[in-house]
Amino acid sequence: MTENLSALLYLVAAVCFIMALRGLSSPVTARGGNMYGIAGMVIAIGTTLASPGVVSYWVIILGILIGGAIGTVIALRIQMTALPQLVAAFHSLVGLAAVFVAAAAFYLPEAYGIGVAGNIKTASLIEMGLGVAIGAITFTGSIVAFAKLQALITGKPLVFTMQHPLNAAIGVAIVLAIVWLCVGQSAAAFWVLVILSLALGFLLILPIGGADMPVVISMLNSYSGWAAAGIGFTLNNGLLIVTGALVGASGAILSYIMCKGMNRSIFNVILGGFGGEQAGPAGGAAAGDKTVKSGSAEDAAFIMKNAASIIIVPGYGMAVAQAQHALREMADMLKQEGATVRYAIHPVAGRMPGHMNVLLAEANVPYDEVLELEEINRDFAQTDVAFVIGANDVTNPAAKTDPKSPIYGMPVLDVENAKTVLFVKRSMATGYAGVENELFYRDNTMMLFGDAKKVCEDIVKSMGGGH
């Protein structure tokens, strides 16, 4: 394949990736965006395989077959509720790939046109060093995020004395290791850089609590993009540079949006994440001199059948219970009764950006019924029922009223302004931020204790539907 044709096809692939990002910005166009992304990747892989530099195909074909088989099995077996940890796991692989490619380029530079062993171009060494550092940090950081999301380790922040000075010292050591690599070009410098970066990845993500996981996911997404871009410079591959920059920039923008949605800066997240699941009083119990009002599915069905407008607020509890299909069935019955039903989505509901949108789309909830916080928040005051299913921190009024609360200033959904709040929750335990939700004790709140899916199914039966 000629160099000009290769450049043209890479340009077409890059345009496809840009169109994919544009499509993924809305649930309505997301399917088309995915198709653009697939097309772009097929063109990119095909163009790369047809380049003159590829002289042996059997290892490449073997890798495609193994990777394709693993990806197919994962795609068929993974539950939508496990998407956050799946995304974290994929990010780790991108970071690890960046480290492996850099190692290959370091040990066989002549194959990549960046010099010979012991005499590699300085610019290439800088690019390689940055790619290795970001890739290794992404790899171990993503593993920790996966472990937290999969509940293999606690979601609470794991903090220790001298944590920040240690991270700063390792950061300085990484910069010095890159300088050492550029000056000495020794294998020792390369592997010291890898080890330091792997350690920093662990230490950066371990202190970040579950409440900050949406930001962590988007931040690691950004890291993986910049790692790919760095290796793109090493390989002199323009498409990899463009693609990595697209992923890195979009991830950074998304991280900013997530932080804005939590009223936190990215430095707050990295330097002192908060939030872990904590125990609380059992369902229906009193907390000090405060009491909660609990009800049954029959009570909820009666209240909602007599409501003209209902706003549903989904959260991670809905994802864990896989209640989205039962919830949509309940909403369909309410619409048949003449009620207006909409869904309110907080930007950090769930464990990754867009988590709730994905689950509702899987249940075929109409896109026009799903509204973001800024679009629907003022409507709670004119709503008969706010049905909160598994959301906690994103509905906590303490974010507006308690300056001492760790979530103070975080934009929340104003569900307390609805005439009646029906709150579906397993128990009175706090959410991932570890903050008690004062909404539980409001006069207009009725707690519906139990598994979110079963509660929705029981409400459907009480309204005359179901099995």
Side-chain angles (χ1 to χ4, degrees):
M1 181 178 290
T2 66
E3 189 174 331
N4 287 340
L5 179 57
S6 177
L8 177 61
L9 289 173
Y10 275 156
L11 178 61
V12 172
V15 171
C16 285
F17 293 144
I18 293 170
M19 294 299 292
L21 282 177
R22 183 175 182 273
L24 292 171
S25 64
S26 166
V28 179
T29 57
R31 194 179 298 273
N34 271 325
M35 296 308 296
Y36 275 117
I38 292 170
M41 189 55 68
V42 169
I43 294 170
I45 293 173
T47 304
T48 302
L49 291 178
S51 66
V54 178
V55 294
S56 177
Y57 287 96
W58 72 269
V59 175
I60 296 172
I61 292 172
L62 182 63
I64 291 174
L65 290 175
I66 294 173
I70 293 173
T72 301
V73 171
I74 290 174
L76 292 174
R77 298 182 60 180
I78 197 71
Q79 297 290 333
M80 297 295 280
T81 50
L83 271 182
Q85 46 266 56
L86 177 65
V87 170
F90 282 167
H91 288 162
S92 74
L93 296 179
V94 176
L96 186 61
V99 175
F100 282 165
V101 171
F106 179 75
Y107 281 99
L108 199 63
E110 53 269 24
Y112 297 88
I114 58 174
V116 295
N119 190 25
I120 301 173
K121 298 174 184 176
T122 302
S124 296
L125 286 169
I126 294 172
E127 295 156 0
M128 188 188 301
L130 291 173
V132 165
I134 300 171
I137 290 170
T138 303
F139 174 61
T140 48
S142 297
I143 288 176
V144 174
F146 170 84
K148 283 177 176 275
L149 290 165
Q150 191 65 21
L152 299 178
I153 61 176
T154 178
K156 297 178 183 178
L158 298 175
V159 295
F160 52 89
T161 307
M162 299 295 290
Q163 167 192 322
H164 297 325
L166 176 61
N167 288 350
I170 294 176
V172 171
I174 286 173
V175 173
L176 294 176
I178 293 176
V179 173
W180 179 19
L181 177 66
C182 294
V183 174
Q185 301 199 17
S186 68
F190 181 87
W191 291 110
V192 165
L193 174 60
V194 171
I195 292 169
L196 287 171
S197 301
L198 291 172
L200 186 59
F202 274 118
L203 294 172
L204 277 177
I205 308 301
L206 276 173
I208 298 178
D212 283 326
M213 271 300 127
V215 181
V216 172
I217 293 293
S218 60
M219 184 175 67
L220 290 170
N221 179 52
S222 180
Y223 288 174
S224 68
W226 297 124
I231 296 305
F233 281 106
T234 302
L235 302 180
N236 195 28
N237 187 305
L239 181 63
L240 193 54
I241 295 169
V242 171
T243 305
L246 284 172
V247 174
S250 61
I253 292 169
L254 190 56
S255 298
Y256 169 77
I257 294 171
M258 294 294 105
C259 286
K260 187 177 179 182
M262 300 174 71
N263 193 40
R264 289 166 63 72
S265 72
I266 194 69
F267 297 106
N268 290 147
V269 174
I270 294 173
L271 299 177
F274 71 91
E277 289 178 323
Q278 297 180 7
D289 59 350
K290 297 184 289 187
T291 58
V292 298
K293 180 171 57 179
S294 64
S296 64
E298 291 79 11
D299 297 327
F302 177 79
I303 292 171
M304 287 196 287
K305 282 186 75 171
N306 290 282
S309 59
I310 298 161
I311 296 178
I312 298 170
V313 180
Y316 187 61
M318 181 192 78
V320 171
Q322 300 185 47
Q324 60 269 29
H325 295 284
L327 180 66
R328 196 216 67 214
E329 185 180 359
M330 183 192 82
D332 287 346
M333 290 195 68
L334 290 169
K335 286 188 282 186
Q336 290 173 11
E337 296 285 337
T340 300
V341 181
R342 292 177 295 168
Y343 298 77
I345 306 296
H346 192 281
V348 294
R351 293 293 175 267
M352 64 177 281
H355 195 183
M356 297 300 104
N357 303 74
V358 170
L359 294 176
L360 294 177
E362 185 203 16
N364 294 317
V365 171
Y367 297 133
D368 58 353
E369 294 178 6
V370 182
L371 303 172
E372 301 294 329
L373 177 145
E374 62 273 8
E375 297 175 296
I376 199 170
N377 220 15
R378 65 171 64 91
D379 295 348
F380 281 103
Q382 289 81 44
T383 299
D384 294 321
V385 176
F387 186 83
V388 184
I389 177 167
N392 195 334
D393 301 321
V394 298
T395 63
N396 194 338
K400 297 176 288 186
T401 60
D402 184 4
K404 296 180 181 178
S405 173
I407 64 171
Y408 181 71
M410 168 181 163
V412 293
L413 291 160
D414 297 332
V415 296
E416 74 276 9
N417 293 336
K419 293 177 183 176
T420 302
V421 179
L422 299 177
F423 212 117
V424 182
K425 209 170 181 301
R426 288 181 181 272
S427 72
M428 291 290 289
T430 60
Y432 248 47
V435 181
E436 184 179 72
N437 193 340
E438 64 180 62
L439 181 62
F440 299 163
Y441 311 103
R442 296 287 180 96
D443 292 337
N444 63 331
T445 299
M446 177 183 288
M447 303 297 296
L448 304 173
F449 293 108
D451 176 81
K453 182 179 180 181
K454 188 175 187 308
V455 169
C456 289
E457 289 173 343
D458 289 345
I459 290 174
V460 169
K461 290 176 184 177
S462 297
M463 288 193 295
H467 308 296

Short mmCIF file of all heavy atoms in Angstrom, two decimals, residues 91-99 101-102 127-139 220-235 240-241 243-245 247-248:
data_model
loop_
_atom_site.label_atom_id
_atom_site.label_comp_id
_atom_site.label_asym_id
_atom_site.label_seq_id
_atom_site.Cartn_x
_atom_site.Cartn_y
_atom_site.Cartn_z
N HIS A 91 -9.53 -0.31 30.48
CA HIS A 91 -8.55 0.76 30.61
C HIS A 91 -7.19 0.20 31.03
O HIS A 91 -6.14 0.65 30.55
CB HIS A 91 -9.01 1.79 31.64
CG HIS A 91 -10.15 2.63 31.17
ND1 HIS A 91 -10.95 3.35 32.04
CD2 HIS A 91 -10.63 2.88 29.94
CE1 HIS A 91 -11.88 3.99 31.35
NE2 HIS A 91 -11.70 3.72 30.07
N SER A 92 -7.22 -0.78 31.93
CA SER A 92 -5.96 -1.37 32.40
C SER A 92 -5.21 -2.02 31.24
O SER A 92 -3.98 -1.94 31.16
CB SER A 92 -6.22 -2.38 33.51
OG SER A 92 -6.76 -3.59 33.01
N LEU A 93 -5.94 -2.66 30.33
CA LEU A 93 -5.30 -3.32 29.19
C LEU A 93 -4.67 -2.31 28.24
O LEU A 93 -3.61 -2.56 27.67
CB LEU A 93 -6.33 -4.18 28.46
CG LEU A 93 -6.91 -5.36 29.25
CD1 LEU A 93 -7.93 -6.12 28.42
CD2 LEU A 93 -5.80 -6.30 29.72
N VAL A 94 -5.33 -1.16 28.05
CA VAL A 94 -4.77 -0.11 27.20
C VAL A 94 -3.45 0.38 27.79
O VAL A 94 -2.45 0.54 27.08
CB VAL A 94 -5.75 1.06 27.04
CG1 VAL A 94 -5.09 2.20 26.24
CG2 VAL A 94 -7.02 0.61 26.35
N GLY A 95 -3.43 0.60 29.11
CA GLY A 95 -2.20 1.04 29.77
C GLY A 95 -1.09 0.00 29.65
O GLY A 95 0.07 0.34 29.38
N LEU A 96 -1.44 -1.28 29.86
CA LEU A 96 -0.45 -2.34 29.76
C LEU A 96 0.09 -2.46 28.34
O LEU A 96 1.29 -2.69 28.14
CB LEU A 96 -1.07 -3.67 30.21
CG LEU A 96 -0.13 -4.87 30.32
CD1 LEU A 96 0.96 -4.60 31.35
CD2 LEU A 96 -0.90 -6.13 30.68
N ALA A 97 -0.79 -2.30 27.35
CA ALA A 97 -0.35 -2.35 25.95
C ALA A 97 0.67 -1.25 25.66
O ALA A 97 1.67 -1.48 24.96
CB ALA A 97 -1.55 -2.21 25.02
N ALA A 98 0.44 -0.07 26.22
CA ALA A 98 1.38 1.05 26.02
C ALA A 98 2.76 0.70 26.58
O ALA A 98 3.79 0.99 25.96
CB ALA A 98 0.84 2.31 26.67
N VAL A 99 2.78 0.06 27.75
CA VAL A 99 4.06 -0.34 28.36
C VAL A 99 4.76 -1.39 27.49
O VAL A 99 5.98 -1.31 27.24
CB VAL A 99 3.83 -0.90 29.78
CG1 VAL A 99 5.14 -1.44 30.37
CG2 VAL A 99 3.27 0.19 30.69
N VAL A 101 4.41 -1.99 24.22
CA VAL A 101 4.88 -1.40 22.96
C VAL A 101 6.15 -0.59 23.20
O VAL A 101 7.12 -0.65 22.41
CB VAL A 101 3.79 -0.53 22.31
CG1 VAL A 101 4.35 0.25 21.12
CG2 VAL A 101 2.62 -1.39 21.86
N ALA A 102 6.17 0.17 24.28
CA ALA A 102 7.36 0.97 24.60
C ALA A 102 8.56 0.06 24.87
O ALA A 102 9.69 0.36 24.44
CB ALA A 102 7.07 1.85 25.82
N GLU A 127 9.20 10.72 24.50
CA GLU A 127 7.84 10.23 24.18
C GLU A 127 7.62 8.85 24.79
O GLU A 127 6.56 8.56 25.36
CB GLU A 127 7.67 10.17 22.66
CG GLU A 127 7.73 11.53 21.98
CD GLU A 127 8.13 11.44 20.52
OE1 GLU A 127 8.35 10.30 20.04
OE2 GLU A 127 8.25 12.49 19.87
N MET A 128 8.62 7.98 24.67
CA MET A 128 8.53 6.63 25.20
C MET A 128 8.39 6.66 26.72
O MET A 128 7.56 5.94 27.30
CB MET A 128 9.79 5.86 24.82
CG MET A 128 9.77 4.38 25.15
SD MET A 128 11.40 3.65 24.85
CE MET A 128 11.62 4.01 23.10
N GLY A 129 9.19 7.50 27.37
CA GLY A 129 9.14 7.59 28.83
C GLY A 129 7.78 8.07 29.33
O GLY A 129 7.23 7.52 30.29
N LEU A 130 7.22 9.08 28.67
CA LEU A 130 5.90 9.57 29.06
C LEU A 130 4.83 8.52 28.82
O LEU A 130 3.93 8.31 29.65
CB LEU A 130 5.57 10.85 28.28
CG LEU A 130 6.41 12.09 28.64
CD1 LEU A 130 6.11 13.23 27.68
CD2 LEU A 130 6.13 12.52 30.08
N GLY A 131 4.93 7.82 27.67
CA GLY A 131 3.96 6.77 27.37
C GLY A 131 4.01 5.65 28.39
O GLY A 131 2.97 5.14 28.84
N VAL A 132 5.22 5.25 28.78
CA VAL A 132 5.40 4.20 29.79
C VAL A 132 4.82 4.64 31.13
O VAL A 132 4.08 3.88 31.79
CB VAL A 132 6.89 3.85 29.95
CG1 VAL A 132 7.13 3.06 31.24
CG2 VAL A 132 7.37 3.03 28.77
N ALA A 133 5.15 5.86 31.56
CA ALA A 133 4.69 6.35 32.86
C ALA A 133 3.16 6.41 32.92
O ALA A 133 2.54 5.88 33.86
CB ALA A 133 5.29 7.73 33.14
N ILE A 134 2.56 7.02 31.92
CA ILE A 134 1.09 7.15 31.91
C ILE A 134 0.44 5.79 31.77
O ILE A 134 -0.55 5.48 32.43
CB ILE A 134 0.63 8.11 30.79
CG1 ILE A 134 1.23 9.50 30.98
CG2 ILE A 134 -0.90 8.20 30.77
CD1 ILE A 134 1.00 10.43 29.80
N GLY A 135 1.01 4.94 30.91
CA GLY A 135 0.44 3.60 30.70
C GLY A 135 0.50 2.75 31.96
O GLY A 135 -0.48 2.07 32.30
N ALA A 136 1.63 2.77 32.65
CA ALA A 136 1.77 1.96 33.87
C ALA A 136 0.86 2.47 34.98
O ALA A 136 0.25 1.67 35.72
CB ALA A 136 3.23 1.97 34.34
N ILE A 137 0.75 3.79 35.11
CA ILE A 137 -0.17 4.37 36.11
C ILE A 137 -1.60 3.97 35.78
O ILE A 137 -2.39 3.60 36.67
CB ILE A 137 -0.02 5.91 36.15
CG1 ILE A 137 1.32 6.30 36.75
CG2 ILE A 137 -1.16 6.54 36.95
CD1 ILE A 137 1.66 7.77 36.61
N THR A 138 -1.95 4.02 34.50
CA THR A 138 -3.30 3.62 34.08
C THR A 138 -3.56 2.15 34.39
O THR A 138 -4.65 1.79 34.84
CB THR A 138 -3.48 3.85 32.56
OG1 THR A 138 -3.22 5.23 32.26
CG2 THR A 138 -4.88 3.51 32.11
N PHE A 139 -2.56 1.30 34.16
CA PHE A 139 -2.72 -0.14 34.37
C PHE A 139 -3.04 -0.46 35.83
O PHE A 139 -4.08 -1.05 36.13
CB PHE A 139 -1.45 -0.86 33.93
CG PHE A 139 -1.46 -2.34 34.25
CD1 PHE A 139 -2.42 -3.18 33.71
CD2 PHE A 139 -0.49 -2.88 35.09
CE1 PHE A 139 -2.43 -4.54 34.01
CE2 PHE A 139 -0.49 -4.23 35.39
CZ PHE A 139 -1.47 -5.06 34.85
N LEU A 220 -9.31 7.77 34.29
CA LEU A 220 -8.49 6.68 33.77
C LEU A 220 -8.68 6.53 32.26
O LEU A 220 -7.75 6.16 31.54
CB LEU A 220 -8.85 5.37 34.48
CG LEU A 220 -8.42 5.28 35.95
CD1 LEU A 220 -9.03 4.06 36.62
CD2 LEU A 220 -6.89 5.24 36.06
N ASN A 221 -9.88 6.82 31.79
CA ASN A 221 -10.13 6.83 30.35
C ASN A 221 -9.23 7.85 29.67
O ASN A 221 -8.64 7.58 28.62
CB ASN A 221 -11.60 7.15 30.09
CG ASN A 221 -11.94 7.21 28.62
OD1 ASN A 221 -11.64 6.28 27.88
ND2 ASN A 221 -12.54 8.29 28.18
N SER A 222 -9.12 9.02 30.28
CA SER A 222 -8.25 10.06 29.74
C SER A 222 -6.80 9.62 29.75
O SER A 222 -6.07 9.79 28.77
CB SER A 222 -8.42 11.35 30.55
OG SER A 222 -7.59 12.38 30.06
N TYR A 223 -6.36 9.03 30.88
CA TYR A 223 -4.98 8.54 30.98
C TYR A 223 -4.66 7.56 29.86
O TYR A 223 -3.59 7.61 29.25
CB TYR A 223 -4.75 7.84 32.33
CG TYR A 223 -4.70 8.74 33.54
CD1 TYR A 223 -4.61 8.20 34.81
CD2 TYR A 223 -4.73 10.13 33.42
CE1 TYR A 223 -4.56 9.00 35.94
CE2 TYR A 223 -4.68 10.94 34.54
CZ TYR A 223 -4.60 10.37 35.81
OH TYR A 223 -4.56 11.17 36.93
N SER A 224 -5.58 6.62 29.62
CA SER A 224 -5.33 5.59 28.60
C SER A 224 -5.16 6.23 27.22
O SER A 224 -4.35 5.77 26.41
CB SER A 224 -6.47 4.56 28.59
OG SER A 224 -7.69 5.12 28.13
N GLY A 225 -5.94 7.29 26.96
CA GLY A 225 -5.81 7.99 25.69
C GLY A 225 -4.46 8.66 25.54
O GLY A 225 -3.81 8.54 24.49
N TRP A 226 -4.01 9.35 26.60
CA TRP A 226 -2.71 10.02 26.51
C TRP A 226 -1.58 9.01 26.41
O TRP A 226 -0.56 9.27 25.75
CB TRP A 226 -2.50 10.94 27.70
CG TRP A 226 -3.50 12.06 27.78
CD1 TRP A 226 -4.34 12.36 28.82
CD2 TRP A 226 -3.79 13.03 26.76
NE1 TRP A 226 -5.13 13.45 28.51
CE2 TRP A 226 -4.81 13.89 27.27
CE3 TRP A 226 -3.30 13.25 25.48
CZ2 TRP A 226 -5.33 14.94 26.51
CZ3 TRP A 226 -3.82 14.31 24.74
CH2 TRP A 226 -4.82 15.13 25.26
N ALA A 227 -1.72 7.86 27.07
CA ALA A 227 -0.70 6.80 26.94
C ALA A 227 -0.61 6.33 25.49
O ALA A 227 0.48 6.16 24.94
CB ALA A 227 -1.04 5.63 27.86
N ALA A 228 -1.78 6.14 24.86
CA ALA A 228 -1.79 5.71 23.46
C ALA A 228 -1.18 6.79 22.55
O ALA A 228 -0.42 6.47 21.62
CB ALA A 228 -3.22 5.41 23.03
N ALA A 229 -1.48 8.05 22.83
CA ALA A 229 -0.92 9.14 22.02
C ALA A 229 0.60 9.19 22.15
O ALA A 229 1.32 9.38 21.17
CB ALA A 229 -1.53 10.47 22.44
N GLY A 230 1.09 9.00 23.38
CA GLY A 230 2.54 9.00 23.60
C GLY A 230 3.23 7.90 22.81
O GLY A 230 4.28 8.12 22.17
N ILE A 231 2.64 6.70 22.82
CA ILE A 231 3.22 5.60 22.06
C ILE A 231 3.06 5.83 20.56
O ILE A 231 3.89 5.40 19.75
CB ILE A 231 2.55 4.27 22.48
CG1 ILE A 231 2.88 3.98 23.95
CG2 ILE A 231 3.02 3.12 21.61
CD1 ILE A 231 4.36 3.96 24.28
N GLY A 232 1.99 6.56 20.16
CA GLY A 232 1.82 6.91 18.75
C GLY A 232 2.99 7.74 18.24
O GLY A 232 3.45 7.56 17.10
N PHE A 233 3.50 8.65 19.07
CA PHE A 233 4.68 9.42 18.69
C PHE A 233 5.90 8.52 18.54
O PHE A 233 6.70 8.66 17.61
CB PHE A 233 4.96 10.52 19.72
CG PHE A 233 4.08 11.73 19.57
CD1 PHE A 233 3.04 11.96 20.46
CD2 PHE A 233 4.29 12.63 18.54
CE1 PHE A 233 2.23 13.08 20.33
CE2 PHE A 233 3.48 13.76 18.41
CZ PHE A 233 2.45 13.98 19.29
N THR A 234 6.05 7.57 19.48
CA THR A 234 7.18 6.64 19.41
C THR A 234 7.15 5.83 18.13
O THR A 234 8.18 5.60 17.49
CB THR A 234 7.16 5.69 20.63
OG1 THR A 234 7.21 6.45 21.83
CG2 THR A 234 8.33 4.73 20.59
N LEU A 235 5.94 5.38 17.75
CA LEU A 235 5.79 4.55 16.55
C LEU A 235 5.68 5.37 15.28
O LEU A 235 5.59 4.81 14.18
CB LEU A 235 4.54 3.66 16.69
CG LEU A 235 4.49 2.71 17.90
CD1 LEU A 235 3.20 1.92 17.88
CD2 LEU A 235 5.69 1.78 17.89
N LEU A 240 -2.70 6.76 15.60
CA LEU A 240 -2.65 6.46 17.02
C LEU A 240 -2.54 7.74 17.84
O LEU A 240 -3.14 7.87 18.92
CB LEU A 240 -1.48 5.53 17.32
CG LEU A 240 -1.44 4.86 18.70
CD1 LEU A 240 -2.74 4.11 18.97
CD2 LEU A 240 -0.25 3.91 18.79
N ILE A 241 -1.81 8.71 17.33
CA ILE A 241 -1.69 10.00 18.01
C ILE A 241 -3.05 10.70 18.06
O ILE A 241 -3.48 11.17 19.12
CB ILE A 241 -0.66 10.90 17.29
CG1 ILE A 241 0.74 10.30 17.38
CG2 ILE A 241 -0.66 12.31 17.89
CD1 ILE A 241 1.76 10.98 16.49
N THR A 243 -6.10 9.37 17.60
CA THR A 243 -7.07 8.61 18.39
C THR A 243 -6.81 8.76 19.89
O THR A 243 -7.74 8.97 20.67
CB THR A 243 -7.01 7.11 18.00
OG1 THR A 243 -7.20 6.98 16.60
CG2 THR A 243 -8.08 6.33 18.73
N GLY A 244 -5.54 8.64 20.28
CA GLY A 244 -5.19 8.80 21.69
C GLY A 244 -5.54 10.18 22.21
O GLY A 244 -6.06 10.33 23.32
N ALA A 245 -5.27 11.21 21.38
CA ALA A 245 -5.60 12.58 21.78
C ALA A 245 -7.10 12.77 21.92
O ALA A 245 -7.57 13.45 22.85
CB ALA A 245 -5.02 13.58 20.78
N VAL A 247 -9.34 10.43 22.70
CA VAL A 247 -9.76 9.74 23.93
C VAL A 247 -9.29 10.51 25.16
O VAL A 247 -10.04 10.71 26.12
CB VAL A 247 -9.21 8.30 23.96
CG1 VAL A 247 -9.51 7.64 25.29
CG2 VAL A 247 -9.81 7.48 22.83
N GLY A 248 -8.03 10.98 25.13
CA GLY A 248 -7.49 11.72 26.27
C GLY A 248 -8.24 13.01 26.53
O GLY A 248 -8.59 13.31 27.68
#
